Every structure is written in structure tokens, then in C-alpha cells.
Amino acid sequence: MIHLVSISGGKDSTATLILALEQHGHDNVRAVFADTGNEHEATYEYALGYLPQELGIEVAVVRADFTREFEVKRANLARIAAGEPESAVYGGRQFDYPWTPEAAARALELLHPTGVPFLDLCLLRGGFPSRKRQYCTEYLKTIPLTEHAMGFIDQGHAVWSWQGVRIQESDARRTRLQGTGACVRSFEVVGGGLFIYRPILRWLVQDVFKAHELAGVKPNPLYLQDMERVGCMPCVNCSKLELRAIAKRFPHHIERVAEMERLVSMVCRPGSPVSFFHRGTQGHSGQVSTIHGVVEWSMTSRGGRQFDLLAASEEPAACSSSFGLCE
Ligand code: SF4
């Protein structure tokens, strides 16, 4: 039996890993990190440097590989660039933003795997995921992590996949978990030797940090720097306040996203809008939606009409955890 814990560098998955190690010991527990290529450097250091050292474990790293998808897309673009109608290439489908042969030829020159899974996925899709179309989690995390688990099953092991999910974590999750009951179980039999275990489902955030403290493990330092979550930097779901904090503390990540927007816009369908945050999804409907436009909006007071000068000029405090870690 393998107890497999997928860690993100966040507080909940770290507490889950601590619990798994305490209950089943180092010989029976494996940790795995799904690298989106879109994480903060502090998260990489925490998940792949600090935690292995502090807990005496190895952390496997999995990355989505889109080599085959690039080959298919490039082959399709080559046909369109050569003058074949797009409807013939895509089985009669019609598109809001059709390719032209010229645009397809230009995209063909530029469309190659970068080795950064998040960016590769966006290049292939010609856009970014959003709250409504959150395909990033499936392609960048669920599929590679499931394949990793299947590797153990193929070797003859049963696998308990430990998930650091808490009902209290967010309103949306609370509604989803309690509303349908679909995921509320702390234990599920998937079949084929795979089981899902959610041991901290009803823990409060204080319990999570207490588990760190009892194990002598520090939480990810990003929690002390205004970050409510430490997944992608930024996540497409991040709040206005988080984005404001990211822009102030980590402007290089804003520039990295701006560069991704530029690259994706060069290989997308002609005229199709490309922006990291989709219009309306962060409450900034009507604003210019490029990352720089949305960051500017994040500096405004509620409603977005009045620029908040105080917010723009304030230096971020050295330590301002929203979890009260510094009390
Ligand atoms: S952290 Fe956010 S952006 Fe990253 S994979 Fe998850 S949902 Fe997508």
C-alpha cells in the first residue's frame, strides 16, 4: 500500500503530508508535486527544498507534457497555411475567429513547446483558462498526478491518494461540497486499486497551522506576504486584493504574465482577444483586460472608478499574514 500525497507548497497539502508521515511512516508515504511552471520561486524552494530537508523525504515532480498536442496543432496549421479550408481541417466546424492562411503560417513559425506546462497549454489553446473554463487544473495537475498514481498501481501497489482539501477553505468549495455531497466524503473507492482519502476535510485553518507547528515545519513564507494561496503566481482565480499584493511585492511575476500574453497573442486566431484575466471574471468588466490593465484596476477602490492613491503609494508591510501567524 502506497500513501501518495500531492503537495502544492500550500498549507493544506503540507499538513496532509505531515499527517500521512505521522500515521504511516516514511517507508509507506510518497510525495509528489505537479509543476505548472507558473509557481512563485518561494513555492519551488519550499516544496522541493525546505520540505524534503525538514521532513526527510523525497518529492517526485510531475509535469504535463504536450508534445503530441503540439504536433497535431502544427500539422493542422500547416494544412491551413497551405490553403486548405479550415472547415476541412476541423471536420466542418465553424469558428468565431477563423484562421487565415497568413496567420496560420505565422503561428506555425512560432508555435513550439517551451517546456513551461502552463504556457504550453495556453499556446495550444490560443488563450488562458478562466474561472468559467478552468481546464488548467485538469491538464496541469489532475492528469499528471493520476498518471503518477497509476505508475504505482502498475507496479502492483494499491494507492491511497491523500488530498489536502478542507470544506472551510472557500465559500465556493463549501457550497460545492455541502451542496451536492458529491465530494464531501473523506474516503472514496475509485477502483482498480486507487482510493481517495481527504483526512483534513473538516479541519479549520488554525488546525492546519497547528499541525505545522507540532511537526516543527514552517508554513510557506508567502503566507506572511499577503498571499491567501500559493498555487500559480498568480492564479486565474486570484482576488483583487491578492493581485494588488502580487503587483507590489512580486512585479517580476506580473511582467512574466505580460510576456505570456504577448507570446500567446502571436499564435492565437486572428482577432481573438488574449488576456490572462478574462473580462468580467474578476469583477473588472469593461476595463482593459491585459495583465497591466487589470493590475491598474486592482489599485482602484471598490467599483473601479476612483484610483486609490493610498493603495498605490503604500509600501507593503514586512509581514501581514491574513492568517494571524504573527500574532
Ligand atoms: S492554481 Fe489557478 S491557474 Fe494554477 S492550475 Fe490551479 S486553478 Fe489554474
Side-chain angles (χ1 to χ4, degrees), residues 36 38-39 118 129 134 136-137 140-141 231-232 234-237 276:
T36 65
N38 193 31
E39 323 280 326
F118 186 92
Q134 198 177 297
C136 44
T137 313
L140 301 177
K141 296 193 172 177
C232 289
C235 171
V236 293
N237 289 321
F276 186 84

Side-chain angles (χ1 to χ4, degrees), residues 66-82 86 89-90 95 97 99 103-113 119-128 135 263-270 272 274:
F66 299 109
T67 307
R68 174 74 189 132
E69 287 83 350
F70 272 94
E71 286 169 3
V72 170
K73 181 151 185 178
R74 287 182 53 77
N76 289 340
L77 286 173
R79 289 170 63 186
I80 297 166
E86 187 177 1
V89 174
Y90 290 109
F95 296 91
Y97 301 96
W99 284 107
R106 193 188 64 234
L108 196 54
E109 272 181 36
L110 302 169
L111 188 76
H112 298 284
L119 177 56
D120 283 351
L121 181 60
C122 298
L123 290 170
L124 285 167
R125 294 282 182 131
F128 291 86
Y135 50 79
L263 293 171
V264 174
S265 69
M266 290 195 301
V267 297
C268 70
R269 292 169 172 275
S272 124
V274 168

Side-chain angles (χ1 to χ4, degrees), residues 226-229 237-247:
D226 293 325
M227 300 299 116
E228 292 171 19
R229 61 183 132 204
N237 289 321
C238 86
S239 69
K240 184 178 185 181
L241 284 179
E242 275 180 297
L243 184 62
R244 183 190 294 190
I246 290 168

Side-chain angles (χ1 to χ4, degrees), residues 244-261:
R244 183 190 294 190
I246 290 168
K248 283 184 176 182
R249 289 188 179 273
F250 315 119
H252 55 293
H253 281 283
I254 299 299
E255 295 313 313
R256 188 176 55 77
V257 170
E259 178 61 9
M260 287 200 288
E261 285 181 334

Side-chain angles (χ1 to χ4, degrees):
M1 172 84 70
I2 296 290
H3 294 275
L4 182 62
V5 187
S6 38
I7 61 167
S8 64
K11 61 190 184 310
D12 292 335
S13 63
T14 301
T16 303
L17 176 60
I18 290 169
L19 195 62
L21 287 169
E22 187 176 303
Q23 292 185 357
H24 296 284
H26 285 66
D27 288 346
N28 302 306
V29 173
R30 302 287 184 278
V32 56
F33 176 82
D35 180 12
T36 65
N38 193 31
E39 323 280 326
H40 193 282
E41 53 277 15
T43 294
Y44 286 116
E45 165 52 28
Y46 183 78
L48 305 180
Y50 174 77
L51 282 182
Q53 189 180 345
E54 203 61 32
L55 294 171
I57 54 164
E58 284 184 16
V59 177
V61 178
V62 292
R63 286 185 191 87
D65 176 8
F66 299 109
T67 307
R68 174 74 189 132
E69 287 83 350
F70 272 94
E71 286 169 3
V72 170
K73 181 151 185 178
R74 287 182 53 77
N76 289 340
L77 286 173
R79 289 170 63 186
I80 297 166
E84 209 173 321
E86 187 177 1
S87 58
V89 174
Y90 290 109
R93 282 178 63 196
Q94 301 292 323
F95 296 91
D96 290 343
Y97 301 96
W99 284 107
T100 61
E102 298 73 28
R106 193 188 64 234
L108 196 54
E109 272 181 36
L110 302 169
L111 188 76
H112 298 284
T114 66
V116 178
F118 186 92
L119 177 56
D120 283 351
L121 181 60
C122 298
L123 290 170
L124 285 167
R125 294 282 182 131
F128 291 86
S130 67
R131 281 185 181 179
K132 288 182 183 156
R133 297 176 65 235
Q134 198 177 297
Y135 50 79
C136 44
T137 313
E138 180 186 357
Y139 285 97
L140 301 177
K141 296 193 172 177
T142 309
I143 292 175
L145 289 169
T146 304
E147 285 174 352
H148 187 70
M150 296 313 287
F152 288 110
I153 290 173
D154 288 347
Q155 291 166 20
H157 300 283
V159 173
W160 276 34
S161 174
W162 290 52
Q163 298 183 353
V165 176
R166 286 185 308 110
I167 287 177
Q168 189 220 28
E169 193 182 328
S170 73
D171 285 343
R173 174 163 285 166
R174 201 157 40 238
T175 306
R176 198 172 73 240
L177 293 179
Q178 293 182 334
T180 67
C183 312
V184 79
R185 283 167 293 178
S186 58
F187 189 78
E188 279 181 56
V189 180
V190 178
L194 181 62
F195 304 84
I196 292 177
Y197 184 39
R198 304 185 181 97
I200 66 166
L201 201 57
R202 298 187 187 280
W203 284 26
L204 304 178
V205 70
Q206 299 91 310
D207 305 326
V208 169
F209 286 122
K210 191 70 184 174
H212 286 67
E213 188 189 322
L214 290 174
V217 172
K218 292 179 198 156
N220 187 318
L222 292 177
Y223 290 122
L224 298 172
Q225 299 175 64
D226 293 325
M227 300 299 116
E228 292 171 19
R229 61 183 132 204
V230 298
C232 289
M233 182 62 57
C235 171
V236 293
N237 289 321
C238 86
S239 69
K240 184 178 185 181
L241 284 179
E242 275 180 297
L243 184 62
R244 183 190 294 190
I246 290 168
K248 283 184 176 182
R249 289 188 179 273
F250 315 119
H252 55 293
H253 281 283
I254 299 299
E255 295 313 313
R256 188 176 55 77
V257 170
E259 178 61 9
M260 287 200 288
E261 285 181 334
R262 191 183 71 79
L263 293 171
V264 174
S265 69
M266 290 195 301
V267 297
C268 70
R269 292 169 172 275
S272 124
V274 168
S275 55
F276 186 84
F277 292 114
H278 292 225
R279 264 189 183 185
T281 56
Q282 309 300 111
H284 58 94
S285 178
Q287 306 288 322
V288 176
S289 284
T290 60
I291 185 71
H292 287 130
V294 179
V295 164
E296 194 174 317
W297 163 83
S298 78
M299 301 292 174
T300 61
S301 58
R302 196 180 290 260
R305 285 184 295 278
Q306 182 189 349
F307 193 70
D308 185 342
L309 284 175
L310 187 62
S313 60
E314 241 174 47
E315 283 296 312
C319 181
S320 50
S321 164
S322 54
F323 296 105
L325 290 181
C326 306
E327 289 176 352

